[in-house]
Amino acid sequence: MKIHTIGGYNEVGKNMTVVELADDAIIFDAGFYMPAIVEMQEEENSTHQEYTEKKLRNNGALPDDVFVQKLGLRNKIRAILLGHAHLDHIGAVPYTSYRYNAPVVGTPFTISVLKKIMEDAKIKIPNKISPVNPNSTFIVKGKKRNYRAEFINITHSTLQTSMIALHTPEGIVLYANDFKLDNTPVLGLPPNYEALKRIAKQGVKVLIVDSLYSGSETKTPSEKIARALLEETLLTIENKKSAIFVATFSSHIARIKSIVDFSKKLNRKVYFLGRSLKKYTTAAIEVNMCPFKNEIQIGSYPKQVESILRKVAKDRESSLVVCTGHQGEPGSILDRLSRGKLPFEFKKNDNIIFSSKTIPAPVNIANKESMDKRFKKMGIRVFDRVHVSGHGGKEDLRDLISLINPENIIPAHGALHQLTPMIELAREMGYRINKECHLMQDGQKLRL
Ligand SMILES: [Zn+2]
């Protein structure tokens, strides 16, 4: 087999990998490079919904799948398999998948989010779109044979994330991008260790693995720790008379559940503000994974947002607002609040809790810093990083490799400095560089 590393091997984002077999080829993920999207929004004061493929491509927001055509693979693609619902894994699907006569496959939540993105962008794709339940199998129809693609449930920072085990005559390809090993997720199923043990026995030819935090000497804590951090912040600070705003990842439904749970304890009514919160919450409701659906009021259109904020301004002691803008994204609710562009006036000692971490791209760091400054000028208490990551650290990776015992390892999901520690770990575990562990870059191929 050949592995083509299309995107996500030089940077964090635009994830895309192609596995080429005799007569067939299969795509894993097609994601956005988010910093490019943010920059475009900043320059033009617009949203990605308004962009064309050409424009996104010229700005470096899409994986270079034109390269797939240059390799002569276009007519061999038999499926586009999606690991989870994050935009850096599925954002490019609406702009690239029409080229391939292949179904787009993912878990129900992933598919639901994808459909919402396409509705927003007013894009229709000719591909069949097939949801597959967590811990079940999709059959990929090849030219002369079929392949089983197992969607093995794993934990991450959004719902129904899968490791995808593609069964081929040459062994199993395990696509593990992204994950952490969380045995106590707040929402959804724990990792399916039984399935992972079983495929390990069957023989994993190659593990393509999320190595973003392979350099951090730790096991990433469970989501229950993030829940405890939120509990401590929300329930022990002096906030009886002040407003509380919480910003977090819209796709992190488990985190949002914790926020809603603790607002109930505070006897505060919960409001969600922002389009992406609406999008992901609606997707969670559609797949029956939104336990708080009756306890929230969502505002996404400008008029709804404004009327909710007016209500909150009058009723600040008994409201809690969850909103977009944890990265200081221009045009997000929090960004506009910080610029006084929305009908809500902060008072001294109001609280803003970031249940998030700034994604370390220069554009995000700059946006977040200047937004924080504006808030601090208003006398607001800012609680940053009430958060744990969805990406495994070095010790999660060590456990996964011990469990899977793959023949080959390909680190993914990062630039060179993020992938190198994974190679170091693999070497420590007996893998030889360029023999069994392979440091790849965008646009390369590896023959196994
Ligand atoms: Zn992810």
Side-chain angles (χ1 to χ4, degrees):
M1 70 174 74
K2 286 181 213 152
I3 312 284
H4 303 276
T5 49
I6 308 293
Y9 297 83
N10 285 8
E11 63 278 298
V12 180
K14 56 174 175 178
N15 291 287
M16 187 184 231
T17 305
V18 178
V19 175
E20 184 184 358
L21 301 148
D23 300 304
D24 309 304
I26 284 143
I27 294 178
F28 289 100
D29 285 343
F32 274 153
Y33 181 58
M34 292 311 288
I37 301 279
V38 175
E39 270 167 22
M40 288 165 77
Q41 288 171 347
E42 207 151 273
E43 273 164 30
E44 297 163 42
N45 206 6
S46 59
T47 63
H48 75 257
Q49 281 84 355
E50 294 150 37
Y51 297 139
T52 59
E53 179 191 348
K54 192 172 170 205
K55 182 141 203 199
L56 288 164
R57 214 172 267 293
N58 288 343
N59 281 279
L62 301 180
D64 183 15
D65 75 319
V66 176
F67 179 73
V68 176
Q69 298 181 65
K70 284 187 196 136
L71 294 167
L73 290 176
R74 181 172 174 171
N75 297 320
K76 284 172 82 175
I77 301 292
R78 308 294 177 219
I80 300 165
L81 308 179
L82 307 176
H84 65 286
H86 281 154
L87 286 180
D88 58 338
H89 293 256
I90 67 168
V93 171
Y95 306 92
T96 56
S97 56
Y98 68 89
R99 284 204 186 83
Y100 312 104
N101 181 16
V104 176
V105 189
T107 54
F109 181 71
T110 307
I111 294 300
S112 200
V113 171
L114 177 66
K115 285 184 173 169
K116 301 237 153 355
I117 295 169
M118 292 197 291
E119 275 166 31
D120 273 5
K122 299 189 179 69
I123 291 177
K124 286 199 171 108
I125 54 171
N127 313 60
K128 189 170 181 217
I129 299 180
S130 303
V132 53
N133 283 326
N135 294 323
S136 44
T137 296
F138 180 84
I139 303 293
V140 178
K141 293 196 168 64
K143 190 175 176 196
K144 291 179 192 147
R145 52 157 300 138
N146 294 342
Y147 307 85
R148 286 194 308 126
E150 257 187 274
F151 284 69
I152 299 172
N153 192 73
I154 201 73
T155 39
H156 181 42
S157 44
T158 192
L159 295 175
Q160 294 188 338
T161 297
S162 306
M163 286 190 182
I164 307 172
L166 179 70
H167 295 253
T168 83
E170 300 168 54
I172 294 166
V173 176
L174 185 63
Y175 183 75
N177 210 14
D178 309 337
F179 85 102
K180 72 173 177 185
L181 298 176
D182 184 348
N183 297 328
T184 49
V186 167
L187 191 61
L189 303 169
N192 185 348
Y193 292 113
E194 290 313 309
L196 293 174
K197 279 181 205 155
R198 175 172 46 72
I199 63 162
K201 260 191 203 149
Q202 291 168 324
V204 173
K205 175 91 177 170
V206 55
L207 170 69
I208 299 163
V209 65
D210 167 11
S211 303
L212 181 62
Y213 290 142
S214 59
S216 90
E217 311 251 341
T218 181
K219 170 178 168 45
T220 301
S222 162
E223 180 58 22
K224 80 171 180 191
I225 302 300
R227 185 176 168 87
L229 292 173
L230 268 169
E231 180 176 26
E232 169 135 308
T233 310
L234 282 167
L235 301 191
T236 66
I237 54 170
E238 176 47 53
N239 58 23
K240 278 198 184 63
K241 294 213 164 90
S242 48
I244 305 179
F245 283 68
V246 187
T248 191
F249 300 91
S250 301
S251 55
H252 205 330
I253 305 296
R255 183 69 52 83
I256 294 170
K257 178 187 184 300
S258 297
I259 297 166
V260 174
D261 289 346
F262 298 127
S263 337
K264 270 201 295 192
K265 285 204 172 164
L266 290 168
N267 284 321
R268 288 182 182 242
K269 190 170 168 37
V270 188
Y271 300 96
F272 284 11
L273 299 184
R275 290 203 305 190
S276 67
L277 270 164
K278 163 125 187 191
K279 188 160 33 189
Y280 283 96
T281 307
T282 313
I285 292 170
E286 279 175 8
V287 301
N288 230 342
M289 290 192 79
C290 189
F292 48 82
K293 66 176 178 193
N294 296 325
E295 289 153 32
I296 52 168
Q297 193 181 328
I298 309 180
S300 60
Y301 299 108
K303 273 194 182 147
Q304 291 173 325
V305 169
E306 286 172 16
S307 96
I308 288 176
L309 282 171
R310 282 194 193 97
K311 218 183 319 177
V312 173
K314 276 189 219 140
D315 221 0
R316 51 206 300 133
E317 298 168 33
S318 51
S319 311
L320 183 144
V321 175
V322 181
C323 64
T324 57
H326 56 89
Q327 303 291 315
E329 302 94 320
S332 63
I333 300 288
L334 218 46
D335 174 68
R336 283 187 284 154
L337 280 165
S338 74
R339 296 174 193 277
K341 285 186 177 170
L342 287 170
F344 182 88
E345 224 170 285
F346 282 105
K347 291 183 183 161
K348 196 168 176 341
N349 290 333
D350 278 345
N351 307 282
I352 297 181
I353 297 167
F354 290 92
S355 193
S356 57
K357 180 191 157 197
T358 309
I359 297 160
V363 58
N364 294 329
I365 294 169
N367 282 338
K368 174 73 165 43
E369 273 179 7
S370 64
M371 187 172 75
D372 281 352
K373 266 186 205 149
R374 293 194 291 277
F375 283 136
K376 279 172 193 161
K377 244 187 213 164
M378 300 177 193
I380 291 170
R381 300 175 79 185
V382 172
F383 301 80
D384 210 355
R385 282 187 163 213
V386 183
H387 179 62
V388 299
S389 173
H391 296 272
K394 184 178 178 183
E395 297 309 320
D396 295 82
L397 285 156
R398 191 193 304 274
D399 281 349
L400 182 73
I401 292 164
S402 303
L403 186 68
I404 297 297
N405 193 23
E407 227 176 276
N408 295 278
I409 298 174
I410 302 176
H413 212 288
L416 185 65
H417 71 279
Q418 285 141 335
L419 305 184
T420 316
M422 181 64 227
I423 293 285
E424 292 298 323
L425 173 63
R427 281 174 57 181
E428 205 181 292
M429 297 181 78
Y431 291 81
R432 295 169 297 171
I433 189 156
N434 296 333
K435 293 270 202 291
E436 295 105 6
C437 65
H438 312 271
L439 188 58
M440 304 291 289
Q441 291 194 301
D442 289 354
Q444 291 188 329
K445 95 178 152 196
L446 175 70
R447 190 187 291 268
L448 291 174

